[in-house]
Amino acid sequence: MASAQESPCETTSLEKHLICTICMDPFVDPVTTSCGHSFCKKCLCCNFRYNDMVCPLCKHHLNRTPDVNIVLRSIVEQMKKKAPEKEDDEYTGAPGEVACDICTERTLKAKKSCLVCLASYCSNHLGKHSSTKRLKGHKLVQPVENLDERACLQHGRPLELYSRNKERCICVLCMKEDQEEVVPTEDEWNRKKAKLDNTKKELQDKIKNRKTCKDELNASLKSCEDQLNNEWGDIEAVFTAVIALVEEAYAKALQPLKDRRQVVEKEAKDIEEKLEAEILQLEKTISELDDISALEDHILFLQTYPSLQDLENIKDCPEVELDTSLSFGTMRTTTATMFESIQQELEKLTPTELQRIPTFTEDVRLDPTTAHPCLVLSDDGKEVKDGGEDQEVPDSPERFDMFGSVLGLNGLTSGKSYWEVEVRNKTGWDLGVTRGDANRKGKLSLSPDNGYWVAVHYQDEKYAAMTVPPVRLFLKEKPVKVGVFVDYDEGLVSFYDVTSKSHIYSFTECSFHDKIFPYFSPHVKQDEKNPDPLIISSVKNCEQDMDMS
């Protein structure tokens, strides 16, 4: 007996007659008009709302809205139940899609894959798989594209076990062949998942640590930018003032020229006006002479003939010479005042320098092997003074033998360094740096040419920088504490009065070419009033000193 099932072609043909011609979707509460056409009830009512009560297809006039066609509605509902799977469930071979291994005529997308059966199932066949008792314990996962990788290609069995020695998944028969440390894949999965969780936590901790470092970096950057902005403002204020001073001096230097120009122009104008008046007078006289000369009446000519003596009294044009002499002394005074004012403005940058310099503090200690025999050093290597007489000390090729000097232990070869020395009531001292290969024997010549960059205080109130020749320094007040700053890479050695926060002197473009060492001399055997030691003191932050003051 032939099957009563409808073929797909018959189903498709029938579906065409169950579509509303207004919304083009399957009927919902279908109604049939008196002219025999069918529509969704809602679609027909909407059509009536905007048009007369006529059939949308044949325009046949209708008296009322038809009732729902119960038979037609039942047919639509039955067709919906018999409708094949949605096109969305059909396997297309697109990336990420997995085909159902059970479907034969029309292949659908797999919803799950079984790691025991090593097969993938669509929604229809998955229900049968789940309903069988012996299959309920199988491991179902999201669809897997290549299940062959989940099976032992040698024995054709599922990879249910894990060999820790070989670090790979195996089947039961593989375990029988090789007696190894074998565990179920789920146990190894749990162990390695826990390991991954620990690794993940460690990575999260590292991320947290790096975020903390990033926050610290941003805070440090903010602090640095604030400091740079403050220093920028200080420098900008100083140089704005310097520019104003230069402009003021420039205006003062030009002012005498402007004033002299006005005087000269006025003198020239007065002379020009006088000459023009004389020219007019002479031209008038010439015109009168022409008139007399044209007279043919002898008597009238002689009666009007002018006195030549009066014409001879007209003086020749004097030589024109304007006074353009200027007072250069005034300009020299102006520039000297400008330079002095500029120097005062530039000195305002010294506190800014002293705020920055302490970050390069060097823990300087004295080297006893270089000290002159008459010098006494403290145990901590921070003080040196005149002992009054030579002491018994080991011979050393590095020791000063005539100058009462001593070097620091700190050899400087790069970067920036800073230290401070208390000089207080001393009437004389030497401070600075020297090259390691500089001469230390006999009478020394303290100069950059001989490897010494030194500032000296002598005769109680005199100061000098030991250049070639030496430069006399004039300080407003006697320093109590002197700061020494060295920038090896820039070739710079600067001296500061720490107490008054002022700059003393700087050696620039220094040619070190070797390791350099801090240099000290308390001036020995010269002045009984100079017994106090030179003390290498701890460096305080300049900002803290300013706050305390």
Side-chain angles (χ1 to χ4, degrees):
M1 185 175 179
S3 174
Q5 290 183 349
E6 295 176 327
S7 67
C9 293
E10 291 173 345
T11 302
T12 304
S13 177
L14 181 59
E15 284 179 351
K16 293 181 179 180
H17 298 287
L18 301 177
I19 299 298
C20 175
T21 56
I22 296 178
C23 65
M24 302 306 294
D25 287 331
F27 288 129
V28 176
D29 294 332
V31 294
T32 302
T33 64
S34 58
C35 56
H37 296 113
S38 297
F39 308 95
C40 295
K41 184 176 182 179
K42 184 177 181 181
C43 294
L44 185 60
C45 291
C46 289
N47 184 73
F48 287 169
R49 189 180 305 165
Y50 297 102
N51 300 288
D52 295 332
M53 293 185 66
V54 295
C55 175
L57 291 179
C58 66
K59 306 302 180 182
H60 179 75
H61 183 74
L62 303 175
N63 296 324
R64 63 181 182 84
T65 302
D67 295 328
V68 175
N69 189 328
I70 300 175
V71 176
L72 185 57
R73 182 174 63 183
S74 299
I75 294 173
V76 172
E77 291 175 355
Q78 289 296 324
M79 291 302 298
K80 287 182 178 178
K81 292 180 181 180
K82 294 181 179 180
E85 294 288 337
K86 296 180 180 178
E87 293 183 0
D88 291 345
D89 291 336
E90 186 173 355
Y91 174 72
T92 63
E97 290 186 0
V98 177
C100 176
D101 292 324
I102 310 302
C103 293
T104 55
E105 295 182 359
R106 183 165 175 261
T107 304
L108 301 180
K109 296 178 185 177
K111 297 297 183 181
K112 293 286 183 180
S113 293
C114 179
L115 298 182
V116 179
C117 300
L118 297 180
S120 299
Y121 302 97
C122 65
S123 57
N124 291 337
H125 296 108
L126 182 63
K128 298 176 182 178
H129 182 278
S130 302
S131 62
T132 304
K133 290 185 178 180
R134 63 184 176 84
L135 302 179
K136 287 185 177 180
H138 288 193
K139 182 70 172 179
L140 295 175
V141 297
Q142 292 298 320
V144 178
E145 291 188 33
N146 190 0
L147 283 172
D148 289 342
E149 296 179 357
R150 270 69 176 174
C152 177
L153 299 180
Q154 181 180 356
H155 301 103
R157 288 177 173 267
L159 299 175
E160 300 176 310
L161 303 173
Y162 182 82
S163 171
R164 287 181 175 171
N165 291 335
K166 293 184 178 180
E167 295 185 346
R168 64 183 180 88
C169 295
I170 62 175
C171 70
V172 175
L173 294 180
C174 292
M175 180 185 70
K176 291 181 179 180
E177 294 177 0
D178 299 320
Q179 298 296 325
E180 301 170 340
E181 184 182 359
V182 176
V183 296
T185 53
E186 290 189 6
D187 292 351
E188 187 65 16
W189 176 80
N190 288 326
R191 187 174 76 90
K192 290 196 171 181
K193 189 172 184 301
K195 185 177 180 179
L196 285 179
D197 291 340
N198 292 334
T199 302
K200 180 180 176 182
K201 185 177 183 305
E202 291 177 0
L203 294 177
Q204 288 174 340
D205 291 340
K206 289 182 179 180
I207 291 175
K208 183 178 179 181
N209 181 47
R210 279 157 177 73
K211 287 184 177 180
T212 301
C213 292
K214 181 181 176 182
D215 293 339
E216 292 176 353
L217 175 64
N218 291 332
S220 177
L221 175 63
K222 175 84 167 49
S223 176
C224 183
E225 287 179 341
D226 291 341
Q227 182 179 359
L228 291 175
N229 289 335
N230 291 335
E231 293 185 11
W232 186 296
D234 294 341
I235 294 174
E236 188 174 44
V238 167
F239 278 91
T240 299
V242 168
I243 292 172
L245 290 171
V246 172
E247 291 177 346
E248 181 182 357
Y250 173 67
K252 287 183 179 180
L254 290 180
Q255 192 60 45
L257 299 178
K258 293 180 179 179
D259 295 343
R260 191 59 191 164
R261 176 187 290 173
Q262 292 178 355
V263 172
V264 169
E265 288 176 350
K266 186 176 184 305
E267 290 179 354
K269 185 177 181 180
D270 292 343
I271 294 174
E272 183 181 8
E273 290 176 352
K274 183 178 179 182
L275 291 175
E276 288 178 352
E278 291 180 353
I279 290 171
L280 291 175
Q281 183 62 41
L282 292 174
E283 289 178 345
K284 181 179 179 181
T285 301
I286 291 173
S287 178
E288 292 176 353
L289 292 177
D290 288 339
D291 293 341
I292 295 173
S293 178
L295 293 175
E296 294 181 357
D297 187 339
H298 300 163
I299 295 174
L300 182 60
F301 173 85
L302 293 175
Q303 289 177 342
T304 58
Y305 187 81
S307 174
L308 294 179
Q309 185 176 0
D310 294 338
L311 297 177
E312 291 176 354
N313 291 333
I314 299 177
K315 297 180 180 180
D316 292 337
C317 179
E319 183 178 354
V320 177
E321 183 177 356
L322 300 175
D323 183 6
T324 58
S325 61
L326 299 174
S327 176
F328 285 96
T330 303
M331 186 176 67
R332 296 296 182 188
T333 302
T334 300
T335 55
T337 303
M338 178 192 70
F339 286 130
E340 182 179 354
S341 299
I342 289 175
Q343 186 61 36
Q344 291 176 357
E345 287 295 331
L346 293 177
E347 282 297 327
K348 293 180 180 179
L349 293 177
T350 302
T352 302
E353 291 180 291
L354 289 175
Q355 289 178 16
R356 194 187 323 169
I357 286 175
T359 58
F360 307 107
T361 298
E362 185 82 16
D363 184 18
V364 175
R365 296 181 184 275
L366 301 173
D367 184 1
T369 62
T370 65
H372 186 276
C374 72
L375 296 181
V376 177
L377 276 61
S378 63
D379 294 337
D380 61 359
K382 292 291 187 177
E383 299 184 20
V384 58
K385 66 179 180 179
D386 181 12
E389 58 184 16
D390 290 354
Q391 308 169 71
E392 292 185 4
V393 293
D395 291 335
S396 171
E398 300 177 349
R399 193 181 301 279
F400 289 92
D401 61 354
M402 287 189 64
F403 266 47
S405 306
V406 62
L407 301 184
L409 285 166
N410 312 65
L412 310 178
T413 57
S414 64
K416 303 176 179 62
S417 303
Y418 178 72
W419 60 92
E420 295 178 353
V421 183
E422 292 185 15
V423 295
R424 294 195 176 274
N425 299 321
K426 294 187 66 61
T427 59
W429 44 259
D430 297 351
L431 294 174
V433 296
T434 180
R435 277 202 305 261
D437 60 356
N439 178 41
R440 304 176 196 174
K441 304 298 182 182
K443 188 174 181 180
L444 303 183
S445 176
L446 302 180
S447 70
D449 293 344
N450 296 318
Y452 287 88
W453 293 267
V454 178
V456 302
H457 171 42
Y458 61 102
Q459 295 182 7
D460 193 25
E461 58 183 15
K462 295 181 180 180
Y463 299 87
M466 301 306 292
T467 57
V468 181
V471 175
R472 180 77 180 274
L473 304 177
F474 298 92
L475 308 185
K476 293 182 178 180
E477 53 187 69
K478 188 174 183 178
V480 174
K481 184 184 293 186
V482 176
V484 183
F485 175 70
V486 178
D487 189 332
Y488 190 99
D489 301 323
E490 293 293 331
L492 174 69
V493 181
S494 296
F495 301 87
Y496 297 91
D497 183 341
V498 178
T499 305
S500 64
K501 299 178 179 61
S502 60
H503 174 253
I504 296 176
Y505 186 79
S506 287
F507 290 91
T508 59
E509 299 182 358
C510 304
S511 301
F512 298 133
H513 303 310
D514 192 10
K515 185 180 291 187
I516 58 176
F517 296 86
Y519 172 83
F520 306 84
S521 175
H523 284 199
V524 301
K525 300 180 181 179
Q526 293 183 4
D527 192 345
E528 294 180 355
K529 298 179 181 180
N530 194 31
D532 292 343
L534 292 176
I535 303 174
I536 303 171
S537 61
S538 59
V539 177
K540 294 182 180 180
N541 190 298
C542 186
E543 292 180 349
Q544 294 178 351
D545 290 345
M546 294 173 67
D547 293 340
M548 293 176 62
S549 61

